[in-house]
Amino acid sequence: AKGMGVSDKGRAKRDAMSDSAGAAAARPQHSQVYVLYVLFQVNFASMSALFINKAIFAMYNFHFPITLYLVQAFTTLLVLLPMYAFGMLPDVRIGRSAMLALIPCALVSWLNVVVGLLALTRVNIPMFSALRRLTVLFTLGSEVVMLGKIPSLSITVTVLLLAMGSVMSALSDVTFSG
């Protein structure tokens, strides 16, 4: 602490408080109605994107899923950057080490989107949805096998119900025809 100015001490204190206890206290609490509203909006956007992308591939005979991804990503940036500039989005800053640690996650996320778009060009929507929902079951199994992590009973039951529901919904069309 020797040689630290007043602002340095304040910054050190603030950084110490931003640990888990301080961050949990600063995290805003939302009502259940708001949470349900957000979940509805996310699911609506996801389903809309799925149907729009499938329509682009099937109806317009567009066979370039990576190009579609790049156009959608660029459009998203065109919408988000002005929102950020006008203060409609929070100013979240992360350090270089955190940014470097997030690179593998970003690459896996990008790969997930591209593989999903490639799959969407080849199968119909019910089968695509079923296959996408089954990935949760494989993720859960991989965590057990590779990490030795045993999920709670509620998570296991939820994932099994999700998997059974997706299989039942796809049974009407097992041809995978796009």
Side-chain angles (χ1 to χ4, degrees):
K2 194 173 187 180
M4 290 180 93
V6 175
S7 63
D8 292 335
K9 289 179 185 176
R11 188 176 308 122
K13 185 176 179 181
R14 184 187 69 231
D15 291 344
M17 289 181 63
S18 69
D19 289 343
S20 60
R27 193 174 302 134
Q29 298 297 319
H30 299 290
S31 70
Q32 288 182 340
V33 173
Y34 179 78
V35 170
L36 288 174
Y37 170 74
V38 170
L39 288 173
F40 174 78
Q41 292 294 326
V42 167
N43 283 307
F44 180 77
S46 175
M47 291 303 295
S48 298
L50 177 69
F51 284 111
I52 290 169
N53 288 339
K54 185 61 180 180
I56 290 170
F57 293 138
M59 294 172 58
Y60 299 108
N61 208 19
F62 188 77
H63 299 291
F64 305 101
I66 295 175
T67 303
L68 180 63
Y69 167 77
L70 291 172
V71 168
Q72 290 174 346
F74 183 70
T75 304
T76 301
L77 279 175
L78 286 177
V79 170
L80 292 180
L81 287 175
M83 290 175 70
Y84 175 76
F86 290 115
M88 298 169 71
L89 295 175
D91 185 10
V92 178
R93 309 247 175 183
I94 61 173
R96 181 183 168 99
S97 61
M99 196 177 303
L100 291 173
L102 289 173
I103 287 175
C105 296
L107 290 175
V108 169
S109 176
W110 174 80
L111 189 62
N112 180 36
V113 171
V114 170
V115 169
L117 286 173
L118 286 168
L120 191 58
T121 64
R122 307 237 180 334
V123 299
N124 58 24
I125 290 177
M127 189 57 67
F128 176 80
S129 295
L131 293 172
R132 184 55 68 106
R133 301 296 180 274
L134 287 175
T135 58
V136 177
L137 181 64
F138 289 110
T139 301
L140 189 70
S142 298
E143 284 183 348
V144 171
V145 172
M146 297 169 81
L147 302 176
K149 182 179 176 185
I150 306 298
S152 68
L153 181 63
S154 63
I155 289 176
T156 304
V157 169
T158 302
V159 169
L160 289 175
L161 286 173
L162 182 71
M164 288 180 1
S166 66
V167 168
M168 288 172 38
S169 71
L171 283 177
S172 65
D173 183 21
V174 293
T175 62
F176 289 88
S177 61

